Amino acid sequence: MTLSALTMEKQKIRLGLCTLAVSLVALTLKMLAWWLSGSMALLSDALETVINVVAASFALAALHISNLPPDLNHTYGHGKVEYLSTVIEGILVVVTACGIFYAAWTHWKAPNTDLAAWQGVMFNALGGLVNLVWGLTLLRQGRRINSPAVIASGHHIIADVWTTLILIIGVSLIPLTGFYRLDAILSALIALNVLRVGFSVMRASIAGLMDEVPDPASLQKIAEIIASHGGGALQAHDIRARRSGTHYFIDFHLVVPGATRVSEAHAICDCVENALKAHFGPDVTTIHVHIEPESHLLPEGVPIP
């Protein structure tokens, strides 16, 4: 069952506020972990969480803007601001990774031999647990409401959890092995993971900004709906679709018999459009259909029984 646009707006704003609050809690725990331990690796983890806080703030602003109705300057709405928000998040992630690399190199040359690893690990684990619960929640809710910004935040937070798990193991080994440069190595590994997540986030967001087509399954579903609800038409071709935030834009050519009246062709279009909106959501789907005579049949078109 699809959610109404108003319901999705409320849920995205609520998720954005909760993400900001959870990120602040996790940041507090991780900064405390670094302060107690003196570990550069734990500080690097805290710096990554700072990005989560900044990203949550950007996402919240983006969600507010994306919910604004279309206007004279933005006739297709403001949905793409969600992609812009995640691009900014990706850039911040890359900048942070560079800073962590520099700090890791500094601590490699002059390692800190006065670590209180156990205390830091305990508070860092608490921060990781908070992030794990909330990251899984964001992924589930983001897919349910089709929000790229919410899904990106979920992936970023889950990546942070994996970082925390590695750190718990690694930092715990430092006092046992006496290999204090392991702290710098762990920091460098965090930076690499941060870069991986940052590029992944930017890749998905740039694809949205460039109107990359939806996944093949969605396009196949559109073709199936047209074929099964286009009774009276002969064929559909040039089927195209794109997403702008949570909004779908679909257009295609519909070939009808030459003797079809305008009112009959209009009724066929209404039937197809209603079926598509029932599947993707009536409030978040815009459809444009171009009617053509049977002389415009194409070999690669989708036949309509």
Side-chain angles (χ1 to χ4, degrees), residues 30-299:
K30 292 185 178 185
M31 290 300 290
L32 185 59
W34 163 69
W35 182 71
L36 290 172
S37 67
S39 168
M40 179 60 210
L42 295 183
L43 175 59
S44 300
D45 194 26
L47 289 176
E48 184 178 2
T49 307
V50 170
I51 295 300
N52 288 347
V53 173
V54 176
S57 301
F58 273 117
L60 190 59
L63 290 173
H64 171 71
I65 295 173
S66 68
N67 289 331
L68 296 175
D71 54 39
L72 292 177
N73 291 325
H74 307 89
T75 54
Y76 290 97
H78 302 78
K80 284 192 176 182
V81 72
E82 289 194 37
Y83 297 124
L84 182 60
S85 167
T86 48
V87 167
I88 294 173
E89 178 182 343
I91 293 172
L92 290 173
V93 165
V94 172
V95 171
T96 301
C98 292
I100 294 174
F101 270 126
Y102 176 77
W105 173 244
T106 301
H107 279 70
W108 174 265
K109 293 187 294 183
N112 180 9
T113 59
D114 188 25
L115 295 178
W118 305 115
Q119 292 175 319
V121 163
M122 180 181 66
F123 283 98
N124 212 58
L126 286 175
L129 182 60
V130 169
N131 276 338
L132 175 62
V133 173
W134 187 244
L136 292 174
T137 301
L138 284 178
L139 289 178
R140 184 174 64 254
Q141 295 297 322
R143 294 187 182 108
R144 191 167 72 91
I145 63 177
N146 290 320
S147 172
V150 173
I151 293 173
S153 293
H155 281 301
H156 189 182
I157 291 174
I158 292 298
D160 194 20
V161 172
W162 284 107
T163 300
T164 298
L165 180 60
I166 294 171
L167 283 180
I168 290 173
I169 298 171
V171 174
S172 297
L173 290 174
I174 294 175
L176 296 176
T177 61
F179 182 47
Y180 292 99
R181 280 196 170 95
L182 180 58
D183 196 34
I185 294 173
L186 290 171
S187 297
L189 290 175
I190 291 172
L192 286 173
N193 184 60
V194 167
L195 279 176
R196 180 186 64 82
V197 174
F199 283 124
S200 175
V201 167
M202 285 195 291
R203 165 68 183 85
S205 300
I206 290 173
L209 288 172
M210 295 295 293
D211 290 333
E212 187 173 285
V213 297
D215 58 279
S218 294
L219 288 176
Q220 179 63 31
K221 187 62 180 178
I222 291 171
E224 290 175 359
I225 291 173
I226 295 172
S228 59
H229 291 83
L234 300 174
Q235 181 193 82
H237 60 81
D238 290 336
I239 300 173
R240 300 186 302 175
R242 65 181 179 89
R243 283 185 61 184
S244 179
T246 59
H247 204 107
Y248 283 88
F249 293 89
I250 303 169
D251 63 85
F252 56 93
H253 293 205
L254 192 66
V255 181
V256 299
T260 303
R261 294 176 178 272
V262 173
S263 59
E264 294 171 340
H266 185 269
I268 296 171
C269 291
D270 281 347
C271 185
V272 173
E273 289 179 21
N274 290 336
L276 288 169
K277 289 182 177 181
H279 179 75
F280 290 102
D283 299 319
V284 292
T285 310
T286 299
I287 303 166
H288 296 284
V289 185
H290 179 71
I291 297 294
E292 293 182 334
E294 54 191 308
S295 59
H296 285 226
L297 287 169
L298 297 179

